[in-house]
């Protein structure tokens, strides 16, 4: 239940019930008083906020007990780290990582709990592999699982009465005694026959079934006689089987069945094991019979008990990240997570600056291929959501991504608006973008050279390298371009057999400026 609540909460920040369940779970264990202080006054549509938003409100957190504040901040820091890592790995691995950081493994009180948790994550793994995970589908699949048996518990066997013959057990529980036995006894066979012993010899007596419309109502037929004898035998067999079942118990016997309460009496259905036992057990049912007043009083008492019920709080005494996940990090007073404390469990974040440069290259390639006229500033603005998704897929936190995407969009808009940017991206028959050329080095090993942009203009080969240049200014642009001169010289050598003049240059997107190196 705690893992289900955690999975639902992490996938839907507005899922109020599951968020409260997560904060009540043993890895946090907020008291009802602290939960009410956090969310009790925020459940109206006008000012409704998610539990996650309320957890960020420091003024609101001050209304919690000191112990509750420490616990909430501990869990909040883990969730903050988890949301930054969302999308870096599969759902199963992500949920498992959060659960381990919350010290969920310490909340497994029984040996069978370990098996149950493994079954839960195996289910998530299976959905991930089929690319079918969703909270709704997960719930359907989890419903098909069964809890592991208690290895230390008593042995429980379920079997039919016939299979139990000859065996003995400390305790026997007979279920469904109020249900008729022998299948559908309303079906009458077309023919009955039986050997009947008379005074002189044995005779074979047979009779066909006679429909109601073809028989005399006040006359007993041979078929009725044989059916009555069959009914008596069935009743005796039912009694024998019931006796066999009841005598399997060595210490305790539990009889479970239901009877119908009519206007004047309580009685079981006919042709049931309970009907055979009724002369001996009817007083138990009569003693539980309630009149209308007693039933109403009992119902009211039950409602009061439910209203005053307070669930027992079960929680870890000390909240901390498992030592194996802390590495050499120093724990703070409230067990806060430092920037790198989860590096052993959450996948490491890639270089955001490098990925932003790759993203800018992708869009420069699209602009050059499709044509500058197809990429007005409005289209670049619309691409922001796709850029965010692309960077988040590479493991970057959404807050960092939002800032960098704005810078990339600004750089691209500077490029298309600048004179030099419009010139290098102009449509040409000789234009080639992201051109890959394979060469061999001095060790005779294959190497791939990728040229951002190249074309010929008035008999000159241009080789241009893009740089996003977020840290480049007008003052240091020339010096920044010279750093890349050796690389561009290597590119120029690839076109030596053309016998054309070659110009190499660096284009800084952020400035919309082309720096020629020769």
């Amino acid at each position: 239940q705690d893992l289900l609540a955690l999975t639902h909460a992490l996938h839907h920040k507005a899922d109020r019930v599951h968020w409260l369940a997560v904060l009540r779970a043993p890895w946090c264990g907020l008291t009802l008083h602290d939960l009410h202080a956090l969310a009790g006054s925020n459940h109206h549509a006008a000012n409704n906020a998610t539990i996650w938003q309320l957890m960020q409100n420091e003024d609101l957190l001050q209304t919690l007990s000191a112990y509750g504040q420490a616990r909430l901040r501990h869990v909040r820091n883990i969730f903050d780290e988890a949301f930054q890592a969302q999308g870096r790995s599969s759902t199963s691995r992500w949920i498992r990582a959060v659960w381990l950081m919350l010290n969920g493994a310490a909340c497994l009180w029984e040996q069978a709990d370990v098996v149950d948790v493994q079954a839960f994550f195996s289910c998530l793994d299976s959905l991930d592999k089929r690319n079918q995970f969703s909270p709704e589908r997960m719930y359907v699949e989890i419903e098909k699982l069964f809890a592991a048996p208690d290895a230390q518990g008593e042995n429980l066997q379920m079997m039919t009465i016939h299979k139990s013959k000859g065996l003995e057990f400390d305790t026997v529980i007979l279920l469904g005694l109020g249900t008729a036995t022998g299948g559908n006894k309303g079906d009458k066979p077309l023919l009955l026959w039986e050997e009947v012993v008379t005074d002189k010899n044995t005779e074979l007596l047979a009779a066909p079934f006679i429909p109601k419309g073809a028989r005399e109502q006040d006359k007993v037929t041979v078929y009725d006689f044989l059916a009555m004898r069959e009914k008596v035998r069935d009743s005796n067999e039912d009694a024998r089987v019931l006796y066999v079942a009841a005598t399997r118990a060595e210490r305790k016997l539990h009889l479970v069945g239901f009877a119908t309460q009519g206007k004047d009496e309580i009685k079981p259905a006919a042709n049931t094991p309970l009907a055979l036992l009724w002369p001996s057990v009817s007083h138990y049912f009569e003693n539980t019979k309630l009149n209308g007043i007693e039933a109403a009083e009992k119902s009211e008492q039950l409602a009061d008990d439910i209203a005053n019920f307070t669930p027992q709080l079960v929680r870890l005494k000390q909240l901390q990240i498992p030592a194996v996940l802390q590495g050499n990090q120093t724990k703070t007073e409230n067990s806060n997570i430092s920037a790198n404390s989860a590096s052993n469990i959450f996948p490491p974040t890639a270089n955001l600056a490098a990925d932003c440069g790759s993203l800018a290259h992708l869009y420069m390639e699209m602009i050059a291929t499709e044509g500058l006229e197809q990429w007005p500033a409005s289209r670049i603005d619309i691409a922001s959501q796709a850029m965010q998704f692309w960077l988040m897929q590479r493991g970057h936190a959404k807050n960092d991504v939002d800032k960098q995407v704005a810078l990339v969009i600004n750089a691209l808009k500077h490029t298309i608006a600048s004179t030099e940017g419009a010139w290098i991206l102009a449509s040409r028959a000789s234009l080639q973008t992201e051109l890959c050329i394979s060469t061999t080095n001095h060790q005779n090993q294959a190497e791939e050279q990728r040229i951002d942009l190249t074309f010929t203009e008035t008999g000159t080969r241009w080789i241009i390298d893009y740089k996003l240049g977020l840290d480049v200014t007008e003052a240091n642009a020339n010096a920044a371009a010279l750093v890349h001169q050796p690389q561009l010289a290597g590119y120029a050598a690839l076109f030596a057999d053309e016998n054309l003049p070659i110009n190499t240059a660096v284009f800084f997107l952020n400035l919309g400026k082309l720096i020629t190196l020769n």
Side-chain angles (χ1 to χ4, degrees):
Q1 292 293 333
D2 291 336
L3 276 169
L4 279 173
L6 178 63
T7 306
H8 281 289
L10 287 174
H11 281 86
H12 196 335
K13 291 182 181 178
D15 192 336
R16 195 178 185 89
V17 172
H18 284 116
W19 270 96
L20 291 173
V22 166
L23 297 182
R24 182 70 172 175
W27 52 61
C28 182
L30 289 189
T31 64
L32 293 180
H33 182 272
D34 283 336
L35 283 176
H36 186 267
L38 177 68
S41 60
N42 190 278
H43 51 78
H44 300 291
N47 63 341
N48 194 27
T50 65
I51 299 298
W52 177 244
Q53 290 172 330
L54 297 177
M55 291 169 64
Q56 315 304 316
N57 189 332
E58 289 295 332
D59 292 336
L60 185 60
L61 262 59
Q62 296 299 323
T63 63
L64 276 65
S65 66
Y67 203 43
Q69 291 181 43
R71 286 178 170 268
L72 191 63
R73 289 192 174 95
H74 170 82
V75 172
R76 184 183 67 183
N77 292 333
I78 292 176
F79 282 165
D80 185 59
E81 189 90 4
F83 285 130
Q84 292 183 40
Q86 188 172 10
R88 299 184 199 170
S89 58
S90 67
T91 299
S92 176
R93 184 178 178 185
W94 182 53
I95 298 296
R96 192 196 305 266
V98 179
W99 178 73
L100 290 173
M101 292 291 288
L102 289 168
N103 207 8
C107 303
L108 305 180
W109 320 117
E110 305 293 341
Q111 183 177 354
D113 293 344
V114 178
V115 181
D116 293 339
V117 166
Q118 291 173 341
F120 176 86
F121 285 118
S122 294
C123 181
L124 293 193
D125 285 335
S126 177
L127 291 174
D128 276 336
K129 290 176 182 177
R130 302 196 304 267
N131 197 27
Q132 293 179 341
F133 176 84
S134 69
E136 295 76 19
R137 181 62 184 270
M138 172 196 67
Y139 187 81
V140 172
E141 295 299 321
I142 293 297
E143 283 288 292
K144 300 176 183 178
L145 299 181
F146 293 89
D150 185 359
Q152 306 298 325
E154 296 182 0
N155 186 26
L156 175 64
Q157 298 184 52
M158 299 183 66
M159 60 182 65
T160 63
I161 293 176
H162 290 284
K163 190 175 181 180
S164 70
K165 187 176 180 180
L167 303 177
E168 289 185 337
F169 306 92
D170 285 344
T171 301
V172 171
I173 305 173
L174 300 181
L175 304 172
L177 298 181
T179 304
T181 60
N184 187 359
K185 294 195 174 184
D187 294 339
K188 295 183 179 298
L190 294 177
L191 183 68
L192 290 177
W193 65 90
E194 182 180 343
E195 288 186 346
V196 179
V197 179
T198 64
D199 294 339
K200 296 181 179 180
N201 51 18
T202 301
E203 302 286 347
L204 178 63
L205 191 61
F209 173 72
I210 302 175
K212 288 184 178 181
R215 59 180 293 177
E216 298 180 19
Q217 297 296 328
D218 56 348
K219 186 177 181 180
V220 177
T221 65
V222 176
Y223 187 93
D224 294 333
F225 171 72
L226 294 176
M228 179 193 67
R229 291 173 62 89
E230 187 69 25
K231 183 177 180 180
V232 171
R233 278 193 292 270
D234 287 343
S235 179
N236 291 336
E237 176 62 15
D238 289 343
R240 186 192 70 81
V241 171
L242 182 60
Y243 169 80
V244 169
T247 53
R248 299 307 93 203
E250 290 185 341
R251 297 183 181 180
K252 292 182 180 180
L253 173 66
H254 298 273
L255 305 174
V256 182
F258 63 90
T260 303
Q261 180 174 344
K263 293 183 179 180
D264 302 322
E265 62 177 348
I266 299 175
K267 64 179 182 179
N271 302 321
T272 63
L274 186 57
L276 296 174
L277 296 170
W278 196 246
S280 301
V281 301
S282 59
H283 62 281
Y284 290 108
F285 288 81
E286 291 292 342
N287 291 340
T288 61
K289 182 179 180 180
L290 300 175
N291 58 38
I293 298 177
E294 291 173 332
E297 291 177 351
K298 186 172 183 179
S299 177
E300 184 177 349
Q301 180 182 357
L302 180 61
D304 290 340
D305 292 342
I306 294 175
N308 296 324
F309 171 72
T310 301
Q312 181 181 4
L313 177 61
V314 179
R315 63 184 181 182
L316 298 176
K317 292 183 179 179
Q318 183 67 35
L319 296 189
Q320 62 180 10
I321 301 169
V324 69
L325 303 179
Q326 294 180 19
N328 296 323
Q329 302 297 325
T330 302
K331 288 184 287 184
T332 63
E333 183 178 355
N334 293 328
S335 298
N336 293 337
I337 304 175
S338 63
N340 298 318
S341 63
S343 59
N344 292 328
I345 188 164
F346 290 124
T349 303
N351 188 316
L352 181 56
D355 283 342
C356 286
S358 299
L359 180 63
H361 274 68
L362 287 173
Y363 275 86
M364 287 294 287
E365 180 184 7
M366 287 189 286
I367 295 172
T369 302
E370 297 178 17
L372 192 62
E373 65 280 358
Q374 301 296 326
W375 281 87
S378 58
R379 183 177 178 184
I380 294 177
D381 287 329
I382 294 174
S384 62
Q385 188 172 0
M387 292 182 182
Q388 290 173 351
F389 183 75
W390 190 87
L391 289 172
M392 289 175 65
Q393 277 190 317
R394 278 145 186 81
H396 302 293
K398 188 177 186 304
N399 291 340
D400 297 333
V401 165
D402 291 343
K403 299 175 184 176
Q404 294 301 313
V405 164
L407 295 176
V408 172
I409 288 178
N410 185 60
L412 291 173
K413 290 167 71 173
H414 265 99
T415 296
I416 64 173
S418 67
T419 303
E420 293 175 324
W423 178 73
I424 67 172
L425 293 172
S427 178
R428 297 177 178 90
S430 61
L431 185 144
Q432 293 175 290
T433 180
E434 298 298 329
L435 175 64
C436 292
I437 301 176
S438 295
T439 61
T440 55
N441 57 22
H442 297 296
Q443 288 78 31
N444 203 30
Q445 295 176 333
E447 290 183 346
E448 182 182 87
Q449 307 290 338
R450 182 181 291 270
I451 302 172
D452 293 343
L453 185 70
T454 182
F455 55 85
T456 57
E457 181 85 354
T458 63
T460 300
R461 165 70 62 181
W462 282 85
I463 300 173
I464 300 172
D465 200 36
Y466 303 139
K467 297 300 175 185
L468 185 55
L470 297 179
D471 56 348
V472 177
T473 64
E474 292 283 353
N476 65 5
N478 290 327
L482 285 174
V483 174
H484 306 286
Q485 188 172 27
Q487 179 185 7
L488 285 163
Y491 293 162
L494 300 175
F495 297 90
D497 58 346
E498 286 186 337
N499 296 318
L500 291 176
I502 297 177
N503 284 340
T504 58
V506 176
F507 182 80
F508 293 108
L509 278 65
N510 191 43
L511 302 176
K513 186 175 183 64
L514 185 69
I515 306 294
T516 304
L517 297 176
N518 62 336

